[in-house]
Amino acid sequence: MNLYIFPEAPVLDNGFGVGIAYAYNKLQPKEDDVVVWYTSKTDFPQLRKSHHIIKKPSAASFRRIMNVLRGKPSHELSMNQLSFLKGLEFDAVHCDDTTFFPTLRRMMPDKHIVVRFHNCYARIEDRQRLLNVPLSRKFRMVLKAYYQVERDIMNDRNSTKIFVTQEDMDYYRSNFGIASDSCVWVGEYDALRSPRTYHPVANVDKLVWFGGVESHKYNSVRWFIDKVFPQVKQKYPFLTFHLYGAGTQQFDNPAEGIFGHGFYEGNDVPGKGTSLYVNPDIIGSGIKLKLLTYLKEGVPFITTPFGFEGYSMQLVDDYCIVSEQDHWVEDICRFIQSHSS
């Protein structure tokens, strides 16, 4: 009997859920295994009667607030929440997020635990210290809380660490000098293995952000709006910037040509055919599955090197532009110029 604990339902409407679905399909838990879901959802295809759901509380809940005040990740579980595991013996333990590791280790001090890093916040925190990138107070607190958790995991010799990018694993191996207890899980992305089909683009008149703006993404979008878009718009006054995703309404400013549309409910990529998609990631964190969508849809996009981590530079071409921050204005202008009648 094995234990599997997942930090969300395996839904496909966001990058985190896609990552969970990939792990569940790869692990294939059996009927007699114990499967735990930490989610507010109660209906999804993988859910079985024997599975356990721990309801994910709101950000304003007492438990999450107390975790933050104690310098812990807000979603860290207590031993009481996992009390149903006491007395059970497991052949293997898969912890599909670093958040749960501290509690599982306290409950199972001698058990080998496989733990998955959806992000490597320690690497981002060290990068932040070097670059002094402006980040929200909330995200800085997240980095600080996870830095301690991840440091403990990386120092734990009775665990296997699974990373989502080669860069994250290289950070661990270069700092700890150990290669035998880590690996990278990469989804089998058809768009990366076969020749891409490109959607024709002509007369580009829109730049598009497609995704939510939580945590550090807010600062990345803010940098693009404040530093990049005004310079590009000065050269191309007809250009507009459209944002689709949860929380994007806060950027709505039609007078400046900026439109925050909120959560997108369509089945296709918005603005297809007349848009260049932007991924202005100023700090990095995890793998950006929105880029996979762009690659599959054959639409052009520009990203910073931080936002391209986890992907091969062999994908770079006229439709996949990896540009350093100082070159964004000229590279966007070059693309618009080459795709105008």
Side-chain angles (χ1 to χ4, degrees):
M1 180 173 64
N2 299 332
L3 170 64
Y4 302 93
I5 180 168
F6 298 98
E8 185 49 272
V11 293
L12 303 182
D13 58 359
N14 64 79
F16 195 39
V18 170
I20 304 303
Y22 170 77
Y24 186 85
N25 292 334
K26 182 180 181 70
L27 294 165
Q28 290 291 308
K30 298 179 175 59
E31 287 297 325
D32 62 341
D33 291 330
V34 176
V35 178
V36 182
W37 303 100
Y38 180 62
T39 179
S40 57
K41 297 176 175 60
T42 57
D43 184 22
F44 45 94
Q46 295 85 347
L47 183 62
R48 303 289 183 267
K49 289 183 179 180
S50 60
H51 292 182
H52 300 265
I53 288 183
I54 299 176
K55 188 174 181 180
K56 183 178 291 186
S58 69
S61 69
F62 177 78
R63 182 179 300 280
R64 289 186 62 181
I65 291 174
M66 288 305 298
N67 277 342
V68 171
L69 293 176
R70 292 167 179 159
K72 299 179 178 181
S74 68
H75 287 294
E76 184 172 313
L77 298 176
S78 67
M79 292 181 69
N80 185 56
Q81 287 176 287
L82 292 173
S83 61
F84 58 89
L85 299 179
K86 291 181 179 179
L88 299 178
E89 291 293 331
F90 299 107
D91 299 316
V93 176
H94 177 88
C95 174
D96 206 63
D97 194 70
T98 57
T99 308
F100 310 131
F101 185 88
T103 305
L104 288 176
R105 176 52 79 213
R106 288 195 298 272
M107 296 180 70
M108 309 172 189
D110 300 319
K111 191 69 183 177
H112 184 87
I113 299 176
V114 176
V115 57
R116 189 173 179 215
F117 289 66
H118 285 273
N119 293 285
C120 185
Y121 288 115
R123 185 166 72 96
I124 304 307
E125 171 69 1
D126 286 338
R127 177 181 289 168
Q128 156 64 18
R129 293 175 182 177
L130 287 170
L131 299 178
N132 196 29
V133 175
L135 298 175
S136 67
R137 184 171 179 270
K138 179 180 178 181
F139 191 58
R140 288 303 306 273
M141 292 175 68
V142 169
L143 290 178
K144 185 177 181 180
Y146 275 95
Y147 194 93
Q148 181 60 52
V149 170
E150 293 180 353
R151 183 169 64 179
D152 290 344
I153 296 172
M154 291 177 183
N155 276 296
D156 190 306
R157 301 277 66 85
N158 198 20
S159 65
T160 296
K161 298 86 177 166
I162 300 173
F163 297 96
V164 297
T165 69
Q166 184 69 37
E167 292 88 345
D168 287 347
M169 186 175 70
D170 289 345
Y171 167 85
Y172 165 68
R173 290 183 173 184
S174 64
N175 278 286
F176 287 82
I178 298 173
S180 59
D181 63 354
S182 61
C183 63
V184 175
W185 278 8
V186 180
E188 298 191 17
Y189 304 143
D190 291 338
L192 310 187
R193 296 184 305 181
S194 58
R196 306 207 309 273
T197 300
Y198 299 90
H199 190 85
V201 176
N203 297 325
V204 174
D205 60 5
K206 292 185 290 293
L207 301 176
V208 173
W209 163 270
F210 189 29
V213 288
E214 67 279 0
S215 65
H216 74 287
K217 297 176 185 177
Y218 173 89
N219 300 90
S220 296
V221 172
R222 191 77 261 170
W223 168 76
F224 178 79
I225 290 176
D226 293 342
K227 304 296 184 181
V228 179
F229 184 63
Q231 297 183 64
V232 179
K233 191 169 177 60
Q234 185 175 18
K235 185 170 183 179
Y236 299 101
F238 59 83
L239 198 66
T240 55
F241 179 41
H242 295 259
L243 301 96
Y244 300 87
T248 55
Q249 301 96 319
Q250 63 187 297
F251 297 106
D252 193 54
N253 188 356
E256 298 296 328
I258 301 171
F259 301 88
H261 299 281
F263 187 79
Y264 181 68
E265 297 182 354
N267 295 320
D268 203 354
V269 178
K272 197 171 182 179
T274 58
S275 304
L276 174 65
Y277 299 82
V278 301
N279 183 40
D281 195 328
I282 61 174
I283 193 67
S285 182
I287 187 168
K288 305 302 178 293
L289 290 182
K290 68 166 67 68
L291 301 190
L292 176 60
T293 299
Y294 299 155
L295 292 166
K296 285 183 175 180
E297 294 291 331
V299 297
F301 64 91
I302 181 171
T303 179
T304 60
F306 292 154
F308 200 63
E309 290 173 340
Y311 293 90
S312 169
M313 292 300 291
Q314 294 180 354
L315 294 166
V316 175
D317 57 18
D318 185 46
Y319 266 48
C320 173
I321 306 166
V322 179
S323 175
E324 298 171 9
Q325 288 177 234
D326 290 344
H327 298 159
W328 264 52
V329 172
E330 60 185 278
D331 287 341
I332 290 175
C333 290
R334 184 182 299 113
F335 183 87
I336 295 174
Q337 183 65 37
S338 64
H339 292 80
S340 299
S341 59

